[in-house]
């Protein structure tokens, strides 16, 4: 859809415009007028003839033509009626400021649905309801009651919280940050974040899309499209909690470890979205992305007039994984020829406390020309001779002359640097009040660049036996059985290329010892009951049984003890299983997120997973790289690789297991959660074994 009449309306009607100062209907009209809007404004109010010198219309029809944009500031219950009028006159774009819809409960929700229905039938698009409005600085549109029109710039902002947008406006105006669009999306009854992000990705003015979201309407579509859009423009989002995916009793480890926040994190990672922790951080990033080129690499040069901040910046560079640029010999020579003898000619370049604007200028130009430098950070402290204003002007000028490499500044101080800060911000130089803020921003930009240049995602498909899985899954669903037992879960896994230990069920001690005899010693005995999910917890797993007698004794003991511990459990017998050779136990798992689909998990397995919670997540389907990255993302990765002479395990086989599992849960959306715990892995070349598996289905 086109957002042209939202973003660039030739005429705007405000239904519910008011003469009374302080009322929203007055504030919006007055904001439109004082913004200097050049199009036609039609206040609509049947009680009065004129507001703020503008002719007032009793209703929309009396205007005589269809305004491009209609803003509704009327009581909720009359919104449907006015929507019918919009439909009649042919307006296609409506912003509903009015509250009292979905957010107030059932009745409000019904009212909202009615409004959306009228809109859909008439081909009208709605922003809101329950929102603060819409601001487009370049077109002098301030159809909001949020505050003064900010400067025009490259940052688009969309916010699910109206009040927050008002705060953002205030911060932005105080810090000279310019916007392309500011949109309060309210209840998202019709237009949602994805519609807007798509529109903004095509908007020439918008260089970076920033936003505050509490939830995402359609997670699946969002991930797919945001991934494409992130390749065009960076997306910076603050995502607050609030949407618990409906607390359900998770029966798998993965289910209990994966909260809805984990799914959001993975979704953002997959789509290249840069997640911000605070408004401040978001603007730290936004001003750089909007106004500076991406650094070609990670090598940072620092120019400073004081030692302390230089060291702080160096520490921050180290901490964030950036590199301190090693200046070219030619650069050092050039600097040495002009800077005073006491100056430090190596990175961080210390131009000394008495540096005037000219010395900064020279150092900056010289360093920007150095082929070993990807980004420059200029630090300034207001000392006796410092020329903050002139230095800022010089930096802005040089940034125009040499626009290829990004420049960042950190003018430390308050009133003494205020004028300089204003000049920098207006001159599109990202300016920070801490070295850490500046350096983190450079790091985030390099990460984004790396994300953009990564190879296309290719998901490998393994040859599998889908029919076999279909049979088992369908049979369970037909009978309303949610939990798939260990043997059938393993059958499913085998169909997808996993190896599981051999074994069968015994109902008597003699049967158990016969099976053991056939399998060969040692064996493992496991209690067999649909009611016992965690077998070890009730003494239901006995490993390393070396003789017929040991098997019989273990059987008898389990049958004696477990019914006492679990009197309600239906005990069907024991599983006699071959014992796998020693290896490391890891867990491979999946939890299906209601918004984003299957979320894969990897971690150190066995009982460790519950205690250490050292796990990593990624949305399925996984590529080989993503699977490997999941391993790298855990602290225990080093142990798997092998430490201090201990032999490592076959890392690639674990990654392959994750990919196979990812294929299974992608092809079978009926599987809600599952884990393989433990997945026992041995040295390179050995075959990992899925020792225990659990799976629940949507029935
Ligand atoms: P549960 O998780 O229900 O307690 P498991 O089948 O995972 O039961 O067994 C618990 C632990 O016993 C495993 O983590 C593993 O260390 C060990 N174990 C179970 N089966 C085997 C086997 N076949 N070979 C080797 N060790 C096993
Ligand atoms: Mg287990």
């Amino acid at each position: 859809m086109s957002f042209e009449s939202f973003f660039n309306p030739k005429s705007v009607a405000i239904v519910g415009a008011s003469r009374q100062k302080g009322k929203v209907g007055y504030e919006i009209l007055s904001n439109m007028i004082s913004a200097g809007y050049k199009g036609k404004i039609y206040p609509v109010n049947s009680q009065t003839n004129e507001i703020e010198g503008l002719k007032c219309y009793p209703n929309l029809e009396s205007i005589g033509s269809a305004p491009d944009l209609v803003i509704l500031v009327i009581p909720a219950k009359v919104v449907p009626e006015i929507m019918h009028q919009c439909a009649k006159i042919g307006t296609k774009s409506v912003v509903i400021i009015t509250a009292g819809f979905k957010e107030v409960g059932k009745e409000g929700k019904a009212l909202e649905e009615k409004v959306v229905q009228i809109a859909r039938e008439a081909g009208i698009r709605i922003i809101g309801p329950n929102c603060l409005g819409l601001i487009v600085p370049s077109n002098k549109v301030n159809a909001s009651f949020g505050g003064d029109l900010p400067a025009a710039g490259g940052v688009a902002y969309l916010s699910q919280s109206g009040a927050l947008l008002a705060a953002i406006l205030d911060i932005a105006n105080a810090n000279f940050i310019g916007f392309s669009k500011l949109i309060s999306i309210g209840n998202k009854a019709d237009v949602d974040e994805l519609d807007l992000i798509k529109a903004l990705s095509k908007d020439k003015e918008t260089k970076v899309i920033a936003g505050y979201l509490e939830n995402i309407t359609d997670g699946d579509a969002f991930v797919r499209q945001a991934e494409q859009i992130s390749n065009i423009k960076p997306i910076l989002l603050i995502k607050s909690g609030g949407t618990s995916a409906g607390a359900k009793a998770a029966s798998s480890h993965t289910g209990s470890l994966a909260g809805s926040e984990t799914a959001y994190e993975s979704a953002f990672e997959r789509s290249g979205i840069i997640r911000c922790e605070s408004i401040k951080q978001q603007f730290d990033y936004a001003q750089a992305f909007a106004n500076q080129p991406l650094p070609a690499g990670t090598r940072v040069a620092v120019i400073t007039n004081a030692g302390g901040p230089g060291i702080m910046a160096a520490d921050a560079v180290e901490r964030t994984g950036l590199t301190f640029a090693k200046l070219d010999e030619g650069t050092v020579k050039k600097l040495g020829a002009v800077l005073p003898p006491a100056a430090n000619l190596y990175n961080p370049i210390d131009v000394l406390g008495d540096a005037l604007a000219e010395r900064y200028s020279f150092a900056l130009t010289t360093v920007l020309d150095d082929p070993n430098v990807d980004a420059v950070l200029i630090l300034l402290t207001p000392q006796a001779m410092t020329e903050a204003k002139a230095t800022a002007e010089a930096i802005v000028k040089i940034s125009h002359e040499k626009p290829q490499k990004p420049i960042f500044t950190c003018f430390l101080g308050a009133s003494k640097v205020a004028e300089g800060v204003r000049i920098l911000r207006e001159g599109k130089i990202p300016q920070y009040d801490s070295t850490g803020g500046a350096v983190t921003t450079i790091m985030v930009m390099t990460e984004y660049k790396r994300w953009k240049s990564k190879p296309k995602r290719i998901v490998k498909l393994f040859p599998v036996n889908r029919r076999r899985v279909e049979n088992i899954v369908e049979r369970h669903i037909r009978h309303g059985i949610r939990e798939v037992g260990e043997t059938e879960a393993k059958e499913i896994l085998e169909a997808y290329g996993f190896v599981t230990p051999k074994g069968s069920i015994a109902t008597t001690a003699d049967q158990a010892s016969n099976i053991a005899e056939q399998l060969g010693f040692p064996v493992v005995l496991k209690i067999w009951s649909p009611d016992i999910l965690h077998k070890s917890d009730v003494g239901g797993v006995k490993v390393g049984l070396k003789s017929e007698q040991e098997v019989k004794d273990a059987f008898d003991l389990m049958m004696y003890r477990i019914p006492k511990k679990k009197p309600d459990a239906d005990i069907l017998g024991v599983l006699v299983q071959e014992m796998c050779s020693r290896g490391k136990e890891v867990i491979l798992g999946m939890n299906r997120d209601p918004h984003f689909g299957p979320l894969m998990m990897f971690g150190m397995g066995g009982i460790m997973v519950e205690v250490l919670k050292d796990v990593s997540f990624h949305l399925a389907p996984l590529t080989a790289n993503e699977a490997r990255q999941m391993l790298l993302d855990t602290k225990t990765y080093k142990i798997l690789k092998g430490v201090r002479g201990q032999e490592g395990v076959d890392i690639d086989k674990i990654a392959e297991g994750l990919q196979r599992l990812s294929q299974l849960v992608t092809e079978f959306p009926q599987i809600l959660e599952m884990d393989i715990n433990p997945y026992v892995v041995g040295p390179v070349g050995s075959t990992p074994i899925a020792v225990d598996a659990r799976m629940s289905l949507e029935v």
Side-chain angles (χ1 to χ4, degrees):
M1 74 167 281
S2 161
F3 274 82
E4 180 67 12
S5 45
F6 279 114
F7 293 161
N8 191 16
K10 300 285 172 287
S11 51
V12 178
I14 300 163
V15 184
S18 166
R19 290 177 74 103
Q20 221 174 309
K21 283 202 175 92
K23 283 191 98 173
V24 176
Y26 174 83
E27 295 302 324
I28 293 188
L29 179 65
S30 138
N31 278 341
M32 273 306 278
I33 296 169
S34 54
Y37 177 61
K38 298 282 184 303
K40 265 315 259 167
I41 304 175
Y42 304 109
V44 177
N45 182 336
S46 60
Q47 311 294 314
T48 181
N49 297 325
E50 169 270 307
I51 307 174
E52 292 287 312
L54 290 174
K55 181 184 171 204
C56 210
Y57 295 78
N59 52 46
L60 278 171
E61 275 182 280
S62 59
I63 293 171
S65 64
D68 276 355
L69 181 63
V70 170
I71 316 288
L72 302 189
V73 206
I74 45 175
K77 61 180 187 305
V78 294
V79 168
E81 186 192 322
I82 306 298
M83 285 299 293
H84 279 303
Q85 286 183 23
C86 289
K88 202 161 164 202
I89 62 168
T91 288
K92 298 291 180 211
S93 304
V94 176
V95 175
I96 307 178
I97 305 284
T98 312
F101 289 90
K102 190 166 68 193
E103 78 282 7
V104 298
K106 231 165 112 192
E107 255 172 62
K109 187 163 179 273
L111 191 63
E112 188 168 309
E113 279 161 8
K114 192 167 160 193
V115 168
V116 171
Q117 197 194 341
I118 300 167
R120 295 264 150 89
E121 279 165 13
I124 298 173
R125 297 307 306 258
I126 301 170
I127 291 179
N130 184 24
C131 77
L132 199 88
L134 172 74
I135 302 173
V136 186
S138 60
N139 293 330
K140 311 275 184 232
V141 173
N142 187 359
S144 85
F145 60 106
D148 294 340
L149 189 77
V155 183
Y157 205 99
L158 49 107
S159 176
Q160 201 168 339
S161 154
L164 195 72
L165 202 65
I168 285 168
L169 213 53
D170 201 25
I171 297 170
N173 285 338
N175 291 287
F176 322 103
I177 292 166
F179 291 95
S180 59
K181 321 274 162 347
L182 283 130
I183 307 138
S184 165
I185 58 178
N187 289 5
K188 315 191 271 184
D190 174 34
V191 169
D192 66 16
E193 60 281 348
L194 184 54
D195 294 321
L196 283 167
I197 289 174
K198 281 199 287 198
L200 293 167
S201 75
K202 296 190 197 104
D203 178 45
K204 287 208 179 65
E205 276 184 343
T206 299
K207 303 283 180 267
V208 36
I209 303 167
Y212 164 83
L213 293 177
E214 282 159 9
N215 64 357
I216 282 170
T217 307
D218 180 351
D220 210 29
F222 185 85
V223 171
R224 260 183 292 115
Q225 308 227 22
E227 190 178 347
Q228 287 171 16
I229 295 167
S230 291
N231 270 301
I232 309 170
K233 289 175 193 179
I235 305 175
L236 311 174
L237 291 184
I238 296 179
K239 160 71 182 69
S240 69
T243 56
S244 150
K248 64 182 165 78
S251 63
S252 68
H253 294 288
T254 314
S256 65
L257 288 164
S260 69
E261 275 313 291
T262 325
Y264 270 100
E265 237 156 64
S266 305
F268 282 12
E269 203 178 304
R270 156 73 58 83
S271 21
I273 291 173
I274 298 152
R275 190 166 186 172
C276 308
E277 298 303 330
S278 64
I279 300 284
K280 179 169 188 313
Q281 190 177 60
Q282 199 171 29
F283 282 118
D284 274 356
Y285 299 169
Q287 50 164 332
F289 277 110
N291 301 319
Q292 294 290 312
L294 294 174
T298 57
R299 300 164 305 173
V300 181
V302 175
I303 301 171
T304 180
N305 68 349
I311 297 167
M312 277 159 71
D315 286 348
V317 164
E318 191 130 305
R319 215 174 31 242
T320 50
L322 291 167
T323 19
F324 225 54
K326 190 174 180 308
L327 297 184
D328 188 73
E329 264 177 46
T331 308
V332 177
K333 244 187 228 148
K334 257 195 242 164
L335 290 171
V338 175
L339 296 182
N344 184 20
L345 310 180
Y346 299 89
N347 200 6
I349 300 131
D350 192 340
V351 291
L352 303 178
D354 61 352
L356 302 180
E358 210 188 325
R359 209 184 280 164
Y360 264 107
S361 262
F362 166 73
L364 176 59
T365 325
T366 312
V367 170
L368 280 172
D369 284 340
D370 190 314
N372 297 342
V373 172
D374 298 315
V376 183
L377 170 60
I378 301 156
L379 311 179
L380 177 143
T381 53
Q383 301 178 45
M385 296 178 65
T386 307
E387 301 172 322
K389 181 168 176 270
T391 308
E393 281 163 348
I395 294 170
V396 172
K397 186 164 166 278
I398 294 168
S399 80
H400 290 303
E401 291 160 4
K402 296 181 182 292
Q404 287 80 13
K405 292 178 187 175
I407 301 172
F408 304 81
T409 60
C410 181
F411 279 27
L412 292 166
S415 61
K416 284 189 176 160
V417 295
E419 184 71 348
V421 168
R422 185 182 60 78
I423 289 164
L424 290 166
R425 289 257 166 80
E426 286 176 351
K428 300 194 183 312
I429 303 292
Q431 147 66 22
Y432 299 84
D433 56 14
S434 75
T435 49
V439 172
T440 308
T441 305
I442 302 174
M443 186 270 292
V444 166
M445 286 178 105
T446 59
E447 272 186 355
Y448 171 69
K449 185 171 161 75
R450 200 177 313 140
W451 181 86
K452 263 176 69 155
S453 56
K454 77 179 170 32
K456 214 174 138 10
R457 301 184 59 249
I458 296 169
V459 177
K460 180 174 175 181
L461 280 186
F462 298 91
V464 295
N465 187 344
R466 248 175 116 147
R467 283 289 320 150
R468 201 168 149 199
V469 180
E470 247 160 44
N471 285 338
I472 301 172
V473 168
E474 274 165 20
R475 177 158 33 87
H476 277 76
I477 292 176
R478 231 182 6 257
H479 292 111
I481 305 169
R482 191 185 144 89
E483 300 294 330
V484 181
E486 185 174 336
T487 37
E488 275 155 323
K490 281 187 187 155
E491 230 182 295
I492 289 176
L493 289 174
E494 275 165 18
Y496 271 69
F498 287 90
V499 175
T500 64
K502 284 200 214 70
S504 3
I505 309 282
T507 51
T508 65
D510 282 338
Q511 223 181 344
S513 78
N514 284 342
I515 296 169
E517 175 99 90
Q518 279 160 29
L519 289 173
F521 293 98
V523 295
V524 180
L525 234 58
K526 296 185 189 181
I527 194 72
W528 187 241
S529 161
D531 305 314
I532 298 174
L533 284 181
H534 299 285
K535 300 177 285 291
S536 312
D537 292 355
V538 295
V541 178
K542 195 88 184 107
V543 299
L545 302 172
K546 289 188 281 298
S547 66
E548 285 183 40
Q549 197 53 48
E550 279 186 32
V551 170
K552 283 183 188 166
D553 290 349
F555 182 95
D556 289 339
L557 200 63
M558 275 188 198
M559 288 306 168
Y560 174 73
R561 280 193 181 159
I562 296 173
K564 282 195 179 157
K565 279 191 193 152
K566 284 250 174 191
D568 300 331
D570 194 7
I571 293 168
L572 308 176
V574 295
L575 176 64
V576 187
Q577 205 172 54
E578 73 179 345
M579 174 100 187
C580 323
S581 47
R582 287 178 56 82
K584 293 251 157 39
E585 301 194 353
V586 298
I587 174 168
L588 315 184
M590 183 281 297
N591 183 54
R592 195 171 295 274
D593 181 81
H595 300 290
F596 298 106
L599 185 61
M600 308 301 298
M601 186 183 88
F602 167 77
M604 210 53 165
I607 51 167
M608 304 281 267
V609 62
E610 298 279 86
V611 184
L612 298 178
K613 295 191 168 50
D614 180 24
V615 289
S616 62
F617 294 91
H618 210 287
L619 287 181
L622 294 177
T623 65
N625 275 336
E626 287 164 350
R628 233 168 280 130
Q629 189 59 45
M630 284 181 72
L631 305 184
L632 277 165
D633 286 345
T634 58
K635 296 187 205 82
T636 27
Y637 177 75
K638 284 202 191 90
I639 298 178
L640 292 175
K641 276 296 274 184
V643 277
R644 305 229 162 161
Q646 259 194 31
E647 194 179 12
V649 301
D650 199 330
I651 296 290
D652 288 341
K653 290 261 177 61
I654 306 179
E656 185 186 315
L658 277 168
Q659 286 165 266
R660 285 181 183 274
L661 199 64
S662 142
Q663 182 177 342
L664 170 67
V665 298
T666 307
E667 289 173 354
F668 287 91
Q670 304 95 317
I671 303 174
L672 285 185
E673 48 181 312
M674 73 169 296
D675 44 47
I676 304 177
N677 184 28
Y679 191 52
V680 177
V681 281
V684 177
S686 66
T687 305
I689 312 277
V691 166
D692 183 24
R694 183 167 5 267
M695 181 183 299
S696 30
L697 301 173
E698 182 163 29
V699 290

